[in-house]
Amino acid sequence: MTAAATPDPLSDLPGRIMAGEMAEQPAVLRRILAEGAPAIRDVARRIAARAPRFVLLTARGTSDNAALYAKYLLEIRLGLPCGLTSMSTTTAYGARPDLTDVLVITVSQSGGSPDLVASTRAAREAGAITLAVTNNPGSPLADVSEYHIDIMAGPEKALPATKTYTASLLALYLFVEGLRGGDGAPAQVLPELAGQLLARQDEVRTLAARYRFAERMVITSRGYGYPTAKEAALKLMETSYIPALSYSGADLLHGPLAMVDNVSPVIAVVTDGKGGEALQPMLDRLRGRGADLVVIGPESQVEQASAGFVLPTRGVAEEVQPVLEIIPLQLLAYEVTIARGQDPDAPRALAKVTETH
């Protein structure tokens, strides 16, 4: 008779899958740098030889925030004009713009959403150079694209994307560096620093106590940190159901600042570099209004806030800091959700592959 398997006492704990996938991020980053970088450089070399005249980025949800990060990289590091596509112009309205010599990058974890596949196919038929960046090299999106980059994150089962987001950021960074002939050396510090951040979960748990009963939150940043603010807001909304509004620090000044008071918390993602410098006037205004300001960023900025989380940014290039910035905010979404008695692994009304058309 075969002995019964011993049940795993952790198997039914809320958030177990999300916690495990967040913990995998240092290993995933190492894998990309060690095993994926040569293939990414090769794709970049072949596309650079075709001299695209500008870039269009296509994505949804978390991948859309990764695409926005790529937009900053491409415009700042290469001087290539970029735009984020509106897929319905193709899929719903049937528009067929001339995309000759345009690089269309489609970012998708699963590579299975019908609208992403359809718009990429239409772009290729319209003359575009098409690149899919996915976690599934056998996906329909990879099949219809001329080029493909595998982010090598491994299966992701929790509905909130964590390791696939940071993997997408790193893969896109290495791709852009490959386009400009760089070696991506600034990214080598990321796996170790990511591990250090994950080891500070107790700090995040303490911070999460501020938000257990929050009715809404505002998250702001500028420059390379702006995609982090958008991704953090998405994570908080999809796991804890707290309405979280993300704004560029510049946009926050144009009206939305009026809703900020000393009750609703504001999280500022302060990148150590030009983006953080550009955000400084907004931080001064928030302090002047007595806002409950929490800073994720350098120690000097955290010291001037109501609370915060110090990021290890010294000596880290500004353009790769977003890979680190999001990790404490992933942990924050997880901890706030657990504190509210909910399961971050399975947010209501969501599916892992969203089939938009």
Side-chain angles (χ1 to χ4, degrees):
M1 180 179 294
T2 303
T6 303
D8 180 356
L10 302 178
S11 61
D12 294 328
L13 288 180
R16 177 184 60 86
I17 301 173
M18 182 180 177
E21 290 173 350
M22 287 190 293
E24 290 179 38
Q25 289 178 107
V28 171
L29 298 175
R30 287 190 188 94
R31 186 184 309 135
I32 295 169
L33 290 168
E35 302 173 24
I40 294 172
R41 281 195 296 269
D42 181 62
V43 169
R45 177 185 57 78
R46 287 188 283 158
I47 290 176
R50 297 176 65 174
R53 54 194 175 99
F54 63 88
V55 182
L56 291 174
L57 294 143
T58 305
R60 296 279 192 205
T62 284
S63 294
D64 199 32
N65 299 326
L68 180 58
Y69 167 70
K71 183 178 189 294
Y72 277 90
L73 286 172
L74 288 157
E75 292 187 342
I76 295 169
R77 306 285 287 170
L78 269 74
L80 268 177
C82 299
L84 300 177
T85 60
S86 300
M87 279 176 277
S88 62
T89 62
T90 297
T91 60
Y93 291 92
R96 292 294 183 267
D98 180 4
L99 298 179
T100 304
D101 298 328
V102 174
L103 173 58
V104 173
I105 303 174
T106 307
V107 186
S108 171
Q109 299 149 45
S110 69
S113 185
D115 60 346
L116 293 170
V117 175
S119 64
T120 300
R121 181 185 292 110
R124 190 170 180 180
E125 292 170 352
I129 306 162
T130 53
L131 167 66
V133 180
T134 82
N135 196 37
N136 183 1
S139 64
L141 179 61
D143 287 343
V144 300
S145 299
E146 187 174 359
Y147 300 99
H148 178 257
I149 287 175
D150 183 359
I151 66 171
M152 306 181 72
E156 189 172 59
K157 297 179 181 178
L159 285 175
T162 54
K163 64 177 182 174
T164 53
Y165 180 69
T166 50
S168 295
L169 296 189
L170 178 53
L172 287 163
Y173 168 75
L174 293 174
F175 170 69
V176 173
E177 285 301 286
L179 288 177
R180 63 191 296 269
D183 60 4
Q188 295 296 325
V189 300
L190 296 177
E192 180 180 353
L193 294 178
Q196 293 175 15
L197 292 172
L198 288 162
R200 295 166 59 191
Q201 188 161 357
D202 286 348
E203 288 182 53
V204 179
R205 190 173 297 122
T206 300
L207 194 59
R210 303 172 70 91
Y211 306 123
R212 181 177 180 182
F213 300 109
E215 294 184 1
R216 73 163 184 246
M217 297 167 65
V218 174
I219 307 175
T220 187
S221 188
R222 288 201 70 179
Y224 285 114
Y226 181 42
T228 306
K230 291 176 68 67
E231 174 62 10
L234 177 59
K235 282 292 154 284
L236 283 159
M237 287 189 287
E238 71 181 351
T239 56
S240 70
Y241 316 143
I242 297 173
L245 308 173
S246 59
Y247 293 99
S248 157
D251 288 335
L252 192 55
L253 285 172
H254 291 270
L257 184 64
M259 71 178 174
V260 174
D261 53 30
N262 60 359
V263 177
S264 299
V266 178
I267 298 176
V269 180
V270 184
T271 303
D272 193 359
K274 293 181 179 179
E277 293 169 8
L279 189 64
Q280 195 61 50
M282 170 52 62
L283 298 176
D284 294 339
R285 290 284 297 274
L286 290 169
R287 293 186 190 104
R289 291 180 62 85
D292 178 8
L293 176 62
V294 172
V295 166
I296 309 296
E299 185 173 10
S300 60
Q301 293 289 347
V302 173
E303 288 173 347
Q304 301 176 55
S306 306
F309 185 97
V310 176
L311 290 173
T313 57
R314 183 169 298 178
V316 180
E318 181 178 3
E319 59 267 21
V320 299
Q321 289 179 34
V323 180
L324 303 175
E325 290 167 349
I326 192 58
I327 291 175
L329 291 162
Q330 292 172 345
L331 292 170
L332 181 65
Y334 172 88
E335 292 292 348
V336 169
T337 305
I338 294 293
R340 290 163 70 95
Q342 296 152 199
D343 185 356
D345 283 344
R348 64 193 181 204
L350 296 180
K352 192 62 180 172
V353 179
T354 305
E355 296 206 356
T356 44
H357 294 272

